Amino acid sequence: MNNARRLVAIVPAWNESGAIGGVVDEIKQFDPSIDVVVIDDCSRDDTADVAESRGATVLRLPFNVGIGGAVQTGIRYARDEGYEIAVRLDGDGQHAASELPKILAPVEAGDADLVIGSRFVEAGGAYRPPLARRIGIGVFAQLVSILGGQRVTDTTSGFVALDRAGIELFATQFPHDYPEVEATLVALRSGLRVKQVQVDMRERVAGASSITFFRSLYYIVKVMLALLVASLRRYPRLERASR
Amino acid sequence: MTPVRVSIVGAIASVLLILVVLELVRGRRLKERYALLWLATGVVLLVLSIWRDGLNTIAGWAGVTSYPPAVLFAVATLFILLVLLHYSTVISKLTDENVDLAQRVALLEERVSRLRSPAD
């Protein structure tokens, strides 16, 4: 692929030794020029070693900081190492590397700073989550759409691509737990150009989803509060260098 | 009217609180900035315990007619809430700084191991 482009794949992982090897392999097979960075959020298993043995750069957090803090570590790496574009894929294997071109295209074309791989842009997509989760995703999407002034359909997706402006914003501002919804609103309010594209996602390859019943209660309340507060905050509008 | 015994007990308790806080600061087990709110709590409670007319007046303003010492409890509760809220902000700040440090450690460790093996 394009040599001038420096592209990094950020993969947060926590106790994903069963899936992480396949995730790294898949990205590298898809495009060997992508640098893969796995952020090991202090796993109890050998996630970090497995990722390293497959050729990924591994950032080892000294203690568990939560998914948002882990993702931000990768984004800070992308900022410090001067990457032009970063993509985020989950360490559990639910995001297929073959779907990457869909979220990369708008960023590479300079049309967007943040591209969210959404499961619901087009009606009748293959993905049908349980009713409760569908309602939750819908409510958050509606809220972010209203507060952010742009219609978004899937704010909980962790399959995203960022350009340099997005990398720099999230390197300094990123929620530490359950970050996706709030981060989308922060991006919109900071003046990032946000785009959504339809993608397909897989079921988990191994491990268990981190979202249990009581956690989802906390999730809902925390995200609601975060959205409310984020909409009361002032965000410095992004100064965009002319391209 | 506030019973005299309530005033005496309140005053003793306040003085004890002030002394304990001062001793903790002297022994460097409590930082001055976190001692200030506790000292303010002790001083206000001491003043309200000793200055009996004042307590009665404030109780009157607050509509507490039957038992003025209730105001003492209310003020004490208010200050404890302030201290707790203050601690919550401190914990939040520490959490953010902690995560920031963890991220820096992860980034620096990766850089160190890269610099040590420049083979590839």
Side-chain angles (χ1 to χ4, degrees), chain A residues 67 175-181 210-211 215 218-219 222-223:
Chain A
I67 179 74
H176 289 162
D177 52 355
Y178 304 130
E180 293 84 4
V181 184
S210 60
I211 298 179
R215 285 203 190 147
Y218 165 70
Y219 179 115
K222 187 258 167 181
V223 171

Side-chain angles (χ1 to χ4, degrees), chain A residues 131-142:
Chain A
L131 179 68
R133 187 170 292 187
R134 204 155 68 230
I135 291 171
I137 291 171
V139 169
F140 288 145
Q142 205 60 43

Side-chain angles (χ1 to χ4, degrees), chain B residues 31-87:
Chain B
K31 287 198 170 295
E32 287 84 352
R33 65 183 296 174
Y34 302 117
L36 284 177
L37 254 177
W38 282 121
L39 285 178
T41 307
V43 169
V44 167
L45 289 180
L46 181 62
V47 168
L48 287 180
S49 300
I50 296 171
W51 184 35
R52 295 158 50 76
D53 290 340
L55 186 63
N56 289 331
T57 310
I58 294 168
W61 292 339
V64 181
T65 49
S66 55
Y67 192 63
V71 171
L72 216 50
F73 292 112
V75 171
T77 308
L78 184 76
F79 268 88
I80 289 168
L81 283 179
L82 275 180
V83 170
L84 287 177
L85 200 56
H86 177 226
Y87 284 172

